[in-house]
Amino acid sequence: MEKSEKSADVAALSFEAALSELEEIVRKLEIGKSSLEDAIGAYERGADLKKHCEKKLMEAKARVEMINLS
C-alpha cells in the first residue's frame, strides 16, 4: 500500500477506531518481538494514526466551542 493510500485509509477511520488501532500498535511495539522492518512500519502507521486522532479532537473541540458561543 502506498503512502497516499495509507493516509486515505487512516482518514476514513473514526476517532475510536484510530485510537484503538494506535493502542494495539503501542502494545505490540512495547513487546518488542517484531522485526525491524515491521516495527518501522508500525511506527509510521502509529504516527499517522496519532495525527488523525489529534485532528479529530481539534475538530470536536471547535464544534463544542461553536455550541458554547451560540
Side-chain angles (χ1 to χ4, degrees):
M1 192 178 291
E2 292 182 23
K3 180 72 173 169
S4 62
E5 291 174 352
K6 290 179 183 177
S7 296
D9 176 44
V10 170
L13 294 174
S14 68
F15 173 81
E16 294 80 7
L19 184 59
S20 177
E21 185 177 342
L22 181 56
E23 289 170 341
E24 183 63 25
I25 288 171
V26 170
R27 276 193 288 280
K28 287 180 181 178
L29 288 173
E30 287 177 339
I31 293 170
K33 299 217 178 199
S34 300
S35 69
L36 180 59
E37 283 300 313
D38 288 345
I40 291 169
Y43 186 85
E44 290 173 337
R45 175 79 175 179
D48 288 343
L49 290 164
K50 178 183 173 280
K51 287 178 192 173
H52 179 67
C53 286
E54 289 172 341
K55 180 182 175 204
K56 290 286 190 182
L57 286 173
M58 293 292 286
E59 290 170 357
K61 180 181 177 186
R63 289 177 66 194
V64 168
E65 287 174 355
M66 289 299 293
I67 291 168
N68 287 336
L69 292 175
S70 298

